[in-house]
Amino acid sequence: MISKILVPSDGSKAAQRAAEYAVDLASKLNASIIILSVVDQRSLIAQTAPASETPRHTIEPLEDYLKEAAESYAGEIKKLCDKKGVAATILIKTGHPVEVIVKEAKRSKSDLLVMGSHGRSALSATVLGSVSYGVIHNDKSIPVLIVRA
């Protein structure tokens, strides 16, 4: 029985579509959702975000900017959960997305992982890096449902 669904989101259209699918599924199964957003540590090399791109129009560390963005799109999914009457929690983590997603799925004892995919080929995913591809091939014990954009 599925009672806990982990929904990783990067704010993309594919992730949003997967979240919508997960919320509908959770609603039908009376399951809860864990919304996970991972700030990729590889993009954090002591950079700052330009003032014009930040919510407060001030220069701020890139990590803070990315966390705010992650909180924003995770918040949108939480609103969708609230609208459908689905219990949801938000987690914002920093690290390598594939590793953090797999670790969190195990830690939270999630019954299902629902992720979006941009539909890259296996070769493209291997060369360019695909989080969904990495999660599927990293751990075989967690069921993963991939929703295409």
Side-chain angles (χ1 to χ4, degrees), residues 60-131:
E60 62 183 274
L62 187 59
E63 184 173 8
D64 294 346
Y65 171 71
L66 293 174
K67 282 184 178 179
E68 286 177 14
E71 288 167 358
S72 175
Y73 50 76
E76 292 300 315
I77 297 170
K78 175 83 167 80
K79 286 178 191 174
L80 182 60
C81 290
D82 293 345
K83 184 179 175 183
K84 297 268 188 166
V86 173
T89 56
I90 296 175
L91 296 174
I92 309 294
K93 305 266 183 164
T94 300
H96 183 271
V98 171
E99 293 169 6
V100 173
I101 291 166
V102 170
K103 185 177 178 181
E104 184 55 37
K106 289 179 181 178
R107 188 202 65 77
S108 66
K109 297 180 179 158
S110 295
D111 303 304
L112 179 66
L113 230 152
V114 179
M115 303 178 67
S117 174
H118 299 284
R120 292 186 179 125
S121 69
L123 177 61
S124 174
T126 303
V127 174
L128 299 174
S130 165
V131 175

Side-chain angles (χ1 to χ4, degrees), residues 26-77:
S27 176
K28 292 174 179 148
L29 299 173
N30 198 26
S32 63
I33 286 188
I34 300 169
I35 305 160
L36 174 64
S37 184
V38 182
V39 175
D40 192 341
Q41 69 185 15
R42 295 172 296 179
S43 63
L44 303 176
I45 306 173
Q47 298 179 21
T48 58
S52 62
E53 297 293 323
T54 64
R56 291 184 288 277
H57 300 290
T58 60
I59 294 175
E60 62 183 274
L62 187 59
E63 184 173 8
D64 294 346
Y65 171 71
L66 293 174
K67 282 184 178 179
E68 286 177 14
E71 288 167 358
S72 175
Y73 50 76
E76 292 300 315
I77 297 170

